[in-house]
Amino acid sequence: MHPPISLIWFFLTAGVSIGLFTFTYFMEFLILFGKNTAMPRQAVIISLVISLILIGLGAIGASFHLGHKMRAWKAIKRFHTSWLSREAVFSGVYGFVLFLYGLAYYFNANPFIQHSLGILTFVLGWLSAFSTAMIYASNKFVLEWNTSLTVLYYLNMYLMLGSSAFLSLTYFYRPEFIPTYLFLTFLFVSLGLAFRIAFNIRQFIIPRPTINEALNLPHNRPIRVLDTGTTTNNYCTEEFYYKKGKDLLGSVLPVAYILTFIVPLFLIVYAWITGNYNYNFFKIAFASLVLGSFLERWCFFVEGNHVQNLFYGLYPEEGYRLRKGYMERKKTVIRL
């Protein structure tokens, strides 16, 4: 599939926004149980402002994916059947309630109102994340995405981004929590690595549909694509099959692994074991995680194969060929 940059941008901005708010409010929420975990007022306000700006930038960026931007409001009309519609509604309401929570916190509103808005923002944020993940996981035409692993991995990436971002706040405002958030960041990045490896291994073993199944013909009857029905590329062959991406996948995916998982894990484990809480470690780990996640999402789209490619002779037949890209255009053969 062709990777839309606007959707990758939305993933990163929404992921940091919801992840950062999750840990910021979690520390506030623990106060209700008598824990001394509240962050200084300035740190909470900074975190809320960053979260609000990021979700706004994400919404603006995602709008570039729309063919007709003036009709964007129609996306919410299919709420009862469309995960895309639910994502639009939940992310929009999340941003609005986050704004209200920020106002309530800034003006020291009644604690009941603050925590009610905080819990509501938390729930809406994760409903938005779940809806986005389900857009891919519920797509039965792209088998690489059509698994619950997609949802687990997607939600965990929000926690990876959020915990690593919150680690920087603890460094400046509550350094006694640094070991706790080093552990949480290590936990979520490790889980992310495990999910990503499982995601790639699954691509080796999932049964590939065949042109026989598409035409509802017996498997013992040899069927070949002799003519794709078009002499030039069109929307289907360009958007559902990204040849340049397939060629680059073998080079980009290892870099995505290194930046998303290896570099952050090394820095976090080093700081954790040695007790050297150098801010540069946390800064580089977060930057590496963001850049790696961008590349990882790019690979995620490129790895997806829409079944309609069967009719263009582009669907993989034999497993997963990482280095060369695992789909090659077949030559048209006409026999007399």
Side-chain angles (χ1 to χ4, degrees), residues 18 26 36 39 223 240 247 249 291 315 319:
I18 294 171
F26 178 67
N36 180 26
M39 297 292 284
I223 301 294
F240 295 161
D247 294 337
L249 185 61
L291 180 57
Y315 207 82

Side-chain angles (χ1 to χ4, degrees), residues 141-290:
F141 303 107
V142 182
L143 296 182
E144 287 78 6
W145 303 347
N146 185 221
T147 168
S148 55
L149 192 60
T150 299
V151 179
L152 294 174
Y153 180 44
Y154 196 94
L155 297 182
N156 186 75
M157 290 190 79
Y158 276 29
L159 294 172
M160 288 164 51
L161 293 167
S163 60
S164 59
F166 193 77
L167 187 59
S168 298
L169 280 181
T170 61
Y171 178 86
F172 288 110
Y173 294 100
R174 293 295 297 268
E176 64 271 29
F177 287 124
I178 289 178
T180 302
Y181 276 90
L182 278 175
F183 169 74
L184 289 176
T185 306
F186 169 78
L187 174 66
F188 296 129
V189 175
S190 298
L191 281 174
L193 176 59
F195 285 139
R196 219 327 165 168
I197 291 174
F199 183 78
N200 281 127
I201 290 177
R202 180 178 174 272
Q203 295 183 41
F204 284 98
I205 60 178
I206 55 175
R208 304 288 182 187
T210 65
I211 191 70
N212 294 61
E213 292 171 337
L215 298 174
N216 197 25
L217 292 172
H219 283 273
N220 59 0
R221 183 172 300 177
I223 301 294
R224 292 179 302 164
V225 177
L226 298 181
D227 191 350
T228 59
T230 177
T231 56
T232 60
N233 285 332
N234 53 45
Y235 179 85
C236 291
T237 56
E238 291 181 352
E239 291 299 316
F240 295 161
Y241 179 78
Y242 185 45
K243 185 178 186 309
K244 187 177 180 179
K246 297 294 184 188
D247 294 337
L248 294 174
L249 185 61
S251 302
V252 177
L253 188 56
V255 176
Y257 262 96
I258 292 171
L259 292 178
T260 310
F261 306 111
I262 306 303
V263 172
L265 280 176
F266 173 78
L267 293 173
I268 290 165
V269 170
Y270 178 80
W272 196 13
I273 292 176
T274 62
N276 183 6
Y277 301 150
N278 189 322
Y279 179 66
N280 287 328
F281 291 164
F282 308 149
K283 187 168 58 177
I284 295 172
F286 177 69
S288 178
L289 194 54
V290 170

Side-chain angles (χ1 to χ4, degrees), residues 113-149:
I113 296 176
Q114 286 192 40
H115 285 290
S116 297
L117 289 172
I119 293 171
L120 184 60
T121 307
F122 172 84
V123 172
L124 288 168
W126 284 101
L127 283 175
S128 167
F130 181 75
S131 300
T132 307
M134 284 302 295
I135 292 173
Y136 307 110
S138 64
N139 190 335
K140 297 180 180 178
F141 303 107
V142 182
L143 296 182
E144 287 78 6
W145 303 347
N146 185 221
T147 168
S148 55
L149 192 60

Side-chain angles (χ1 to χ4, degrees), residues 3-150:
I5 302 301
S6 56
L7 296 188
I8 298 176
W9 168 256
F10 178 77
F11 162 78
L12 290 174
T13 52
V16 176
S17 172
I18 294 171
L20 181 59
F21 174 79
T22 295
F23 291 104
T24 302
Y25 181 69
F26 178 67
M27 301 298 273
E28 296 292 311
F29 182 72
L30 290 180
I31 300 173
L32 297 175
F33 302 94
K35 305 293 184 182
N36 180 26
T37 56
M39 297 292 284
R41 182 176 175 80
Q42 184 182 7
V44 175
I45 292 175
I46 290 174
S47 174
L48 295 179
V49 170
I50 292 174
S51 297
L52 194 58
I53 290 174
L54 285 177
I55 195 64
L57 291 176
I60 294 172
S63 68
F64 287 96
H65 185 64
L66 300 172
H68 299 280
K69 298 177 178 55
M70 297 303 293
R71 301 176 191 169
W73 64 273
K74 291 186 177 181
I76 64 175
K77 293 176 64 177
R78 302 292 181 185
F79 183 83
H80 61 296
T81 58
S82 167
W83 285 109
L84 178 63
S85 175
R86 292 165 191 158
E87 177 206 40
V89 172
F90 286 133
S91 61
V93 180
Y94 159 76
F96 178 69
V97 180
L98 173 62
F99 175 68
L100 294 180
Y101 174 73
L103 289 178
Y105 185 87
Y106 184 78
F107 290 106
N108 287 320
N110 185 290
F112 175 77
I113 296 176
Q114 286 192 40
H115 285 290
S116 297
L117 289 172
I119 293 171
L120 184 60
T121 307
F122 172 84
V123 172
L124 288 168
W126 284 101
L127 283 175
S128 167
F130 181 75
S131 300
T132 307
M134 284 302 295
I135 292 173
Y136 307 110
S138 64
N139 190 335
K140 297 180 180 178
F141 303 107
V142 182
L143 296 182
E144 287 78 6
W145 303 347
N146 185 221
T147 168
S148 55
L149 192 60
T150 299

